[in-house]
Every structure is written in C-alpha cells, then in structure tokens.
Amino acid sequence: MFELINASYEYPGGVLALNDVSLHIAEGSSVALTGENGCGKTTLLRVLNGLVFPTKGEYRFAGDKIDKQTLKNAQFAKQFHRRVGYVFQNVDSQLFCGGVEDEIAFGPRQLELSEEECKRRVDDCLALLGIESLRTRAPYATSGGEKRKIAFASVLSLNPDALVMDEPLAGLDASTQNRILSLLKTLRKAKKTLVFATHNEGLVEQIADVRARMEAGRIVDVSR
C-alpha cells in the first residue's frame, strides 16, 4: 500500500530529515516507527500523508506516485486523502471547525455525501469514541484527551483504508489511552492499515506487526 523508494527529504536550510529511506508497507499491516526524537519519524509520516514530498527518491501509494504534481489533480487528491487518514501529535493543528459535530462532518461533506449520510457517520463516530456528550461543544473548549478523540473521529468519519498517527497515546490519561488502544485493536482486526510513530513500548507490543527503527533519518532495523 505504501512504498518509499530511496526517499530523502531536506528541510529549508539544509536539514536532512530523511536520508535514502526505502520502506514497503503491505495493506492490512500495522507498522510502528520507533527511535529517538529528531530521527525523522514525523517527517516520514508527513510524506506518507502527502503533506511534504521527497526531495530525492519516490513515494507511491497503492501503486500511484504521490508528488506535488499528482496532488494538483483535485479529484485524485480528494480520493487519496479519503483513503489515508492522519492524526497529528498536536491535534490542535488539525481541529478548526467551531463545533464538534461540524468537525467530524467536515470530511464527509467534502466528499459531497448527503446530509443524511454525514449525520449517520457523525453519530457512529461519536459513539465509537464515546464522546456523544461533546456533540454541541466547541473543540477548543475541550480537554487534551477529548481533542484527541475528536481528531480520531474526524478522520474515521471518512472510513479511510489506512490510518497514519503521530504518537497516538502521548499525553493522555490512562482511561483515554485505554479507549484509543481499544479502538486501534478494533481497526487492526478490521484489516485497516496502521502506521504510527511512538515511544510507547506497550503500544508497539499490542498493535504492531512490524517495527521499523529509525536513526538520523534512516531506517536502521526492521523486525517482526
């Protein structure tokens, strides 16, 4: 499903965040990216989600090359972002609507689904994350853990084939961690493709089929 071929990424100013990375992620697998802060995990996830593009090498999703040119095609970009959901580490970066209900419905509305279908998806995702009580709240007026659940709900409302996550359990209390962990186990059983960066060894042990360890912008070890 995901394929990086000798991919490098250099930030403005000459900072090399990814250095000749090749990685193949099969559909339905669950892959954990591990390594110290600054090793390139977040940049790799941003490439997989089409937020940045390799400055050298190539990225393909389901066989299609993903670069600035292909994502200029609005229809192609819409389908790509429907299929690949991304949960940021700092969820404040992805929540922008004035209400929780509108936040979760935003993606389905961009797909021009009927309002009836949008409402059904909102209801389903609120129930899945156990946040029905937040329906009429403003995302900015919720706690950190609640924001994380809203972010997951807004991504899952698109029913993506793959979920890319940056530190999905970081900064959460035990109850919220358990809720998200249970959700990820459910998605794994449903054969969704999961790719996540984490320092949480328990999450790796319970969710990952494959661990890819990174150092200095490279993948230095892949283990099952």
Side-chain angles (χ1 to χ4, degrees):
M1 177 170 275
F2 295 101
E3 186 176 18
L4 290 173
I5 306 166
N6 302 118
S8 297
Y9 182 78
E10 186 175 307
Y11 283 101
V15 177
L16 189 62
L18 295 180
N19 186 4
D20 196 34
V21 172
S22 292
L23 179 65
H24 305 270
I25 298 175
E27 184 174 2
S29 62
S30 179
V31 177
L33 301 176
T34 64
E36 299 299 321
N37 290 338
C39 68
K41 301 188 300 297
T42 294
T43 301
L44 194 155
L45 296 183
R46 287 168 60 82
V47 169
L48 296 185
N49 199 56
L51 295 179
V52 298
F53 309 102
T55 47
K56 291 183 181 179
E58 194 171 286
Y59 165 42
R60 290 184 174 272
F61 174 76
D64 293 315
K65 186 175 181 179
I66 305 297
D67 59 17
K68 190 177 295 185
Q69 189 62 39
T70 57
L71 291 186
K72 283 182 179 179
N73 181 315
Q75 188 61 33
F76 180 87
K78 182 182 290 187
Q79 287 305 310
F80 170 72
H81 289 299
R82 184 203 67 77
R83 296 189 67 190
V84 183
Y86 186 31
V87 180
F88 290 61
Q89 180 176 2
N90 177 12
V91 292
D92 285 315
S93 301
Q94 71 184 97
L95 302 177
F96 55 87
C97 291
V100 168
E101 196 165 21
D102 285 338
E103 189 74 56
I104 300 171
F106 180 83
R109 285 172 177 157
Q110 297 308 298
L111 295 179
E112 300 179 350
L113 301 180
S114 69
E115 277 302 307
E116 181 180 2
E117 175 63 13
C118 289
K119 183 181 184 306
R120 185 189 68 78
R121 292 193 180 202
V122 169
D123 291 344
D124 287 348
C125 289
L126 287 169
L128 182 64
L129 274 299
I131 52 174
E132 295 96 330
S133 63
L134 302 180
R135 179 189 293 272
T136 60
R137 298 270 297 278
Y140 63 81
T142 59
S143 70
E146 289 170 338
K147 287 177 182 176
R148 186 67 57 90
K149 292 177 185 176
I150 295 165
F152 267 98
S154 68
V155 169
L156 293 175
S157 67
L158 290 169
N159 190 26
D161 300 319
L163 197 59
V164 177
M165 301 162 283
D166 198 351
E167 295 287 358
L169 300 185
L172 302 178
D173 61 37
S175 176
T176 305
Q177 283 196 28
N178 288 336
R179 185 85 192 202
I180 299 299
L181 183 58
S182 177
L183 169 67
L184 295 179
K185 289 178 177 179
T186 298
L187 293 173
R188 186 185 182 197
K189 287 180 181 177
K191 300 300 182 182
K192 296 291 187 182
T193 306
L194 306 178
V195 186
F196 57 96
T198 187
H199 293 289
N200 188 313
E201 285 297 318
L203 180 62
V204 176
E205 291 172 5
Q206 295 186 65
I207 300 297
D209 304 314
V210 176
R211 176 205 292 261
R213 186 167 60 84
M214 298 187 68
E215 289 180 6
R218 292 179 176 270
I219 293 177
V220 296
D221 182 63
V222 177
S223 57
R224 296 180 181 274

